[in-house]
Structures are given as C-alpha cells and as structure tokens.
Amino acid sequence: MESFLKATAAIPSKTTTEQQQQKPVMHLGWGSMICKSADHMAELCIRTVHHAQVQAIVLGGAAGLSLDKLLTAKKPTMTPDILEHAKANILFVDCAPHEWLFPQASATVHHGGAGTTTAALRGGVPTIVTPVFGDQCDFRHVVNALGVGIGFAKQLHKITWQELGDALTQVTSHPDMAQRAAQLGTQLRAEDGANRAVDEIKECWDKCCAKEQLERHVACQAEDESAANAARHRLQRSMPKILVVASLVAGAALVVAALNKRRRQRPAWNPN
C-alpha cells in the first residue's frame, strides 16, 4: 500500500504546474527478471532516464531495484550530477498495479512477459520491450508489428543505457505511435477476454479434438507405444551380446596398450 501511495503521488495531476508537466513520466520495471545484478539494473534505469531527460517510476521487482545502494556505494560508478538527477526525477517503489499505473505513464519499459505486455498494450501508451528469453522475443515482435512501440532485437543484458534512452525519446516524440497505442488499448479494454478465451478453446476442441479425431489420436498413441515396447524388448534381448562384444573390445584395447607400453620400454637395439 505504501508503494502504491508513493506511485500515486508521483503521477502528475491536473493541478500540476506547467513546468512539472514538461517531462514525461515513464514506467521502468522487469518483474521477475534479473539481468547481471540489481545494481546494474538500477544504474541502467538511472543513466537511461538522465540520457532521455524524463521522469520515471521504477518498480523494484524481483531484483529489488533501489537508489539507496548506489548512493552509499564505496566506489560510485556514476557522477554526483547523475545521482542528483535520479533523486529528483526517479521514484523507486516496490510494486504498483500495472492496470492502474501503465495508462497514466507516457510510455512503459519492461521485459515482454505475457502478462506485462498485455497490461502495457491495454494501457494504451507506447511500450518498449527489452526481452530476456523465451516468448518475450515473440512479444517484442508483436509490438514492432503493431507499430505501438519498440521491441529490441537484442537481449536486455546487451542493451546500453544510450540505446534505451534513445528508444524512450523516440516513442515519446512520435504522435502516430501514441495514437496507434491508444486505439489498440481502447480495443483491448473493450474485449471480453475471459469469454473470448473460452470460445477459442472450444473452437480448437471442435476442430482438433472431435470424437473421431480423438479416437484416431488415441489409436496412434497406442501404436507408437506398442512399437516403442517392441524396440525396448529387442534391445533387452540383445543386451547380453552387446555386453560380450563390448568386453572383448575393451580387453583387446588393454592388450594393445600393454604391448605398446612394452615396446616403448624395450631398449633400442645396438649392433655394436
């Protein structure tokens, strides 16, 4: 609840002064993903926000991203001006509801997980996908194909703060992209997702799992299982012969090795 209240306070309201509203407010967060280390990810956020000259709400996620460790580091990796900019323009919170936060941000940055991508697209603002592995790469392709953001071709650990900062600048400076994201968000929010999923499953069942096809599938599985059992029995019957042959080969190899060793140890013949 405390994190939620902090995030609520960070979103510019209608009464915010014009000067405070000049900088877009971004969301950055990677959920359960951890890239290299928490300090690396926090520094990536800070340098990205400084490079793009924006404000941001950073969700701590599994990495527990925060500014505290970087401020108290014995060997700081960033200059004081970057750290001061971070203190003034970045809010680190443990968590906040995506469905509430994303629509109020100017853009979202995340790893491209199925749930996070869905929330980002429903939010109706441009989104940036920095994939780590698996289906996250598919979702970055979807974002690019729809023209509602930027999906990086490279993985998160290979993305620099300059590249991520440039991506933030790009998605917030293209009205067409923002308009497409808003239209898609409206469309998705109007969709009855639960009933649509039920319809898709039912259609798949009717097409692929009708009674005749299901019986055929079960029969094929039974045939495959019978063939596998037959092969297993043949292998078991052949196993004694295989073991005998393997023993003979191993024994022959030992004899050859012993003869070679004796030959090397035999003194060279001297005719004198």
Side-chain angles (χ1 to χ4, degrees):
M1 177 61 72
E2 183 181 355
S3 295
F4 175 75
L5 294 175
K6 287 181 179 179
T8 303
I11 298 293
S13 65
K14 295 180 180 179
T15 59
T16 306
T17 64
E18 182 178 351
Q19 183 178 4
Q20 289 172 312
Q21 289 183 343
Q22 285 179 355
K23 290 185 177 181
V25 177
M26 308 295 180
H27 155 270
L28 291 89
W30 289 273
S32 60
M33 299 294 104
I34 299 179
C35 173
K36 296 184 180 180
S37 69
D39 288 351
H40 166 80
M41 296 176 70
E43 183 171 343
L44 174 66
C45 293
I46 291 171
R47 289 188 179 276
T48 295
V49 170
H50 182 265
H51 180 69
Q53 287 299 297
V54 295
Q55 293 179 316
I57 294 177
V58 178
L59 301 188
L65 303 181
S66 71
L67 183 61
D68 297 338
K69 289 184 179 179
L70 298 178
L71 290 175
T72 58
K74 294 181 179 179
K75 294 182 179 179
T77 56
M78 290 176 286
T79 57
D81 62 311
I82 294 180
L83 292 174
E84 288 300 319
H85 182 273
K87 288 194 288 185
N89 292 279
I90 301 178
L91 174 66
F92 287 86
V93 296
D94 296 333
C95 61
H98 288 173
E99 290 282 337
W100 168 84
L101 177 61
F102 288 179
Q104 302 187 72
S106 300
T108 60
V109 179
H110 53 93
H111 56 290
T116 308
T117 303
T118 301
L121 296 180
R122 283 172 58 87
V125 297
T127 190
I128 298 173
V129 177
T130 57
V132 178
F133 63 84
D135 62 347
Q136 298 164 9
C137 299
D138 297 329
F139 286 116
R140 67 95 182 167
H141 173 72
V142 169
V143 167
N144 287 333
L146 293 173
V148 294
I150 295 175
F152 276 90
K154 60 177 68 175
Q155 292 169 287
L156 175 59
H157 68 279
K158 298 178 181 178
I159 299 173
T160 66
W161 53 266
Q162 295 97 329
E163 292 170 329
L164 190 53
D166 290 342
L168 280 176
T169 301
Q170 184 176 343
V171 299
T172 53
S173 58
H174 282 67
D176 292 343
M177 183 180 291
Q179 183 177 2
R180 285 192 295 269
Q183 291 173 347
L184 179 61
T186 301
Q187 179 182 345
L188 291 176
R189 291 192 299 273
E191 185 178 70
D192 186 351
N195 284 329
R196 178 70 183 276
V198 171
D199 292 339
E200 291 289 340
I201 294 171
K202 185 177 184 302
E203 182 181 355
C204 178
W205 176 264
D206 292 340
K207 285 183 177 179
C208 307
C209 301
K211 184 178 179 181
E212 297 80 5
Q213 293 176 332
L214 182 60
E215 290 175 350
R216 192 181 306 118
H217 174 71
V218 172
C220 290
Q221 279 192 324
E223 291 176 4
D224 293 342
E225 186 174 353
S226 298
N229 288 333
R232 192 179 303 112
H233 291 321
R234 286 196 299 271
L235 179 61
Q236 289 174 348
R237 289 196 302 269
S238 304
M239 188 59 68
K241 296 179 181 179
I242 294 173
L243 292 176
V244 170
V245 173
S247 299
L248 291 174
V249 172
L254 290 174
V255 171
V256 171
L259 290 175
N260 287 334
K261 183 177 180 181
R262 289 183 62 183
R263 190 177 294 113
R264 287 193 299 271
Q265 293 175 345
R266 183 181 302 166
W269 178 69
N270 187 354
N272 297 324

